[in-house]
Amino acid sequence: MEESLEIQLTPVNIDKAEYIISLASKKNGAFKAMMQMLREVEEQIQGRYKKNKIFYQVVKVIDSRYKSKIHHYKQEIENMKSNIDFIEQDVNTLTSQRLELKKELDIHEEELNDIRDYAEQRRNKKSKRERQYHQLYNIPIVATQFKKKYVRARDKNSDAEEKVSEVRTVVEACQRAISEITKSISDSHKKREDLIVHLQQLSTQTKQFEDVLFNLHEGSKFWSGIDKYQSETAMQATITFIETIQKHSKNHTTFHKIMDPNNDFVKIFKLALYEFGQAEQYADSTFGQLHVEFDCAKCKSTFIGWPTPDKVRIHDLLCDTCYKESRTSMIWEKKMKMGHQLLSLPGSSTLSFSSSSTTTTSTSTNSSQASSTNNKPGFKKMLQIFKGAANKRRSSSNNSFVAMDPSDRNSTHLLRT
């Protein structure tokens, strides 16, 4: 119900300020209508504080997890680079070995060709001596001579054939070694290419994580600046506007007179809402669509989007489905936890603590609002008016309560309860 109501509200900007001011011209119910719209402005500014607080919580959790992933990825990248360098050195060594083997193979192949020619000659000579011996073996004197020639030719042929076999074995060994080295080089090239692809993927993911972190940090800085300046100024201007019209709400003539656009509190109100609206619009368009990778603490699934912190365990991030399913139980758990904390306070000092807390919080809030407004360029004149209004507010406890920070108001209410 609260989310649907918030969606229907018009944004806080110059248009809303002018619309509120224009309500003063109504003959009946002007003050009531203006107060309703002004309270709406207060709630929207407080809602912005709450949204920003959630944004900071998410950024803190994501920052820790992304930095851990980036560190892990960078270590993997360095290891891959070392492996790639080792593979390249290995490939260079294998290439040199293959080149030497090819040179050696060329020498052995040439030697094999020469040995084969010589073996062919020995084979032919052996065949010739064998024929002569068979033709003349029955002539005793000639047969003995040709038998010796045949045996010598046969032995020389056998030596030549054995040499051919030895050289052929060396050639085949060189060829197998070259083939194996070539396969190793091919495998190393493929492994190197795979590592390079994986390295590029990790580098891309690391760059994406770094870019997301940069945008998250920039968003935190910008929203923090809005909290410190535009939101504080818009809230203070709205409170001053409310207090001013409340003083003159009974007198119709005076009420319309003070709503002159040239009056300082009217101009400051319009300017404050204008700056708040401009800053919020820019921040929403720049940082409102950020997506992060996160693991849901409930369903243990990984999502790409924007998570919501657990209301009790703020370091746990939840997906939309799990948050909606457990929202009611988280609210009750949070209330029970706060109740136990309040019960742990000393019973005798509870009432006095509540009273002093209200006064102290109101004073500290006014002081911090004045300090933050003083630091904002171009608002010196606004500060002087706010100081005068703040002095008057100290006389009214009701108005002091209105000026309190949303978190302080809630804590005081709990203490009183």
Side-chain angles (χ1 to χ4, degrees), residues 312-325:
V312 181
R313 293 160 286 276
I314 60 175
H315 295 293
D316 290 347
L317 302 180
L318 306 178
C319 63
D320 289 341
T321 303
C322 292
Y323 178 79
K324 291 176 182 178
E325 290 177 353

Side-chain angles (χ1 to χ4, degrees), residues 135-153:
Q135 290 173 356
L136 302 173
Y137 77 93
N138 54 355
I139 304 174
I141 298 176
V142 178
T144 301
Q145 182 181 358
F146 277 93
K147 182 179 180 180
K148 291 180 180 179
K149 290 183 178 181
Y150 166 70
V151 171
R152 185 168 59 249

Side-chain angles (χ1 to χ4, degrees), residues 31 40 48 53 89 171 194 222 289:
F31 175 75
E40 183 180 293
R48 172 49 61 190
K53 182 181 178 182
Q89 292 176 1
V171 169
D194 292 341
F222 198 88
Q289 301 298 323

